[in-house]
Amino acid sequence: MDEDARFYRELPKVELHAHLNGSVSFVTMEKLIKRKPHLNIEHSMTAIGKGQRRTLDECFEVFKVIHKLVDTEEDILMVATDVIREFAADGVKYLELRSTPREEKDTRLTKQSYVETAIKAIQQCKSEGLDIDVRFLVAIDRRNGTEVAMETVKLAEEFMLSSGGLVVGIDLSGDPTVGHGKYLLPALEKAKNCGLKLSLHLSEVPSQLEESDLLLNLPPDRIGHGTFLHPEMGGSQHLVDKVVKNNIPLELCLTSNVKGQTVPSYSQHHFRYWYQLGHPSVICTDDKGVFCTDLSQEYQLAASTFDLGHEAVWKLSQQAIDCIFAEEALKEQLKQKWNELQPQVL
Ligand code: 6MZ
């Protein structure tokens, strides 16, 4: 590893936008494929390699394949513990994992046991002594509409109360071309009222301006992507003003957006717009398995694309601490950790 790559690996990092089933590494995928040879699934169906691109539609097909491979409690436990260990090995000190609870009749997986298993994985990693704190967001898949969204919020609320603070919020995700946020608003309002934090995918594709305007009224605690919010991308100053006024941090995933073709190239990524505004922007991976990346690489890419020196990169990773959903005491601990790890010369 060259010296620059080492800097990014050793940089303490906060990962706030990671979908569990999109984060499954090649090695874990190999174990899953071996467990289920009858499915005839190959690696090329579960990841988008270097230099490759897919439409966003095709990305959502990839998730369907992965879901076939991850359909028992045993699979979820393995996937979640592997993902957490990999983030820890990449220098991530605080991770928020998000996942959509699924029911699988054939394997008796229930939404309840799905979340329980994810929490068990987090606890297991904690007991291994890994240097990473992990929290969980329960995801609403926008395609499933009002009722399922409401059930998901109820489930998240139960776990928020019973998991000792490990479940901290709700994620709204799924294919952005399907469904409409207006049907999900009551569930999101309920979540907010019971103390769950909200991270919402907003304006990931151009057609969502009206929806974004509506959902920004909640307001959410963080925004996933927000690619088409600002005027240069067909959004509006009105939307930008709402985001800025409420100081809502953005979770930005460079490789995901470029490989999923919602952004034409790294240099045209909206990181530039929000970073220049001085608005809280957090570099994240989205789906490190599907997009074949890791958080160190994403920081390095942001730095080389937007000409950020080590000091600016350090600041970026440090400022992400203020955007986490965990309790204040953990924020303080993380700030302390960053102070201890900061190199003398940057
Ligand atoms: C929107 C995404 C996404 O929940 O099964 N997901 N939603 N935009 C994206 N950009 C590429 N990437 C992942 O993880 C997979 C699920 O996360 C959401 C989709 O709902 C996908 O099915 P889980 O762990």
Side-chain angles (χ1 to χ4, degrees), residues 19-21 60 63 67 99-100 173-174 201 204 256 286-287:
H19 298 274
L20 177 61
N21 285 299
F60 284 99
F63 296 124
H67 285 159
S99 196
T100 326
S173 55
H201 284 59
E204 192 178 358
S256 162
D286 207 4
D287 300 288

Side-chain angles (χ1 to χ4, degrees), residues 33 40-47 65:
I33 290 173
N40 284 324
I41 292 172
E42 291 167 21
H43 274 297
S44 60
M45 297 155 79
T46 63
V65 176

Side-chain angles (χ1 to χ4, degrees), residues 86-233:
E86 288 155 2
F87 273 116
D90 188 36
V92 172
K93 304 295 177 196
Y94 175 85
L95 163 68
E96 280 174 23
L97 262 185
R98 53 185 75 191
S99 196
T100 326
R102 258 179 303 131
E103 183 182 78
E104 297 284 351
K105 294 241 156 58
D106 291 350
T107 65
R108 300 206 182 142
L109 182 71
T110 64
K111 292 185 179 184
Q112 182 95 18
S113 65
Y114 188 105
V115 179
E116 259 165 29
T117 309
I119 291 171
K120 193 170 153 191
I122 296 173
Q123 289 165 334
Q124 206 167 300
C125 289
K126 188 86 200 155
S127 69
E128 281 172 20
L130 289 180
D131 184 17
I132 185 170
D133 282 288
V134 185
R135 296 292 183 270
F136 191 73
L137 308 184
V138 183
I140 295 174
D141 186 334
R142 48 184 293 134
R143 108 172 16 248
N144 296 330
T146 312
E147 236 169 84
V148 174
M150 199 55 99
E151 276 169 32
T152 308
V153 169
K154 282 195 192 129
L155 190 71
E157 188 184 3
E158 268 171 49
F159 278 103
M160 177 181 68
L161 300 171
S162 67
S163 66
L166 294 181
V167 172
V168 289
I170 288 284
D171 154 60
L172 172 64
S173 55
D175 186 341
T177 62
V178 179
H180 196 293
K182 65 184 167 198
Y183 304 117
L184 309 171
L185 209 51
L188 298 173
E189 274 164 355
K190 182 180 158 54
K192 205 173 164 72
N193 290 337
C194 74
L196 287 158
K197 301 277 190 186
L198 296 181
S199 168
L200 310 182
H201 284 59
L202 287 190
S203 286
E204 192 178 358
V205 292
S207 59
Q208 293 178 290
L209 294 182
E210 183 210 319
E211 178 188 284
S212 294
D213 198 16
L214 186 72
L215 295 180
L216 280 171
N217 291 338
L218 280 161
D221 299 284
R222 287 198 315 251
I223 294 169
H225 304 297
T227 315
F228 295 90
L229 285 172
H230 66 282
E232 288 164 30
M233 290 292 273

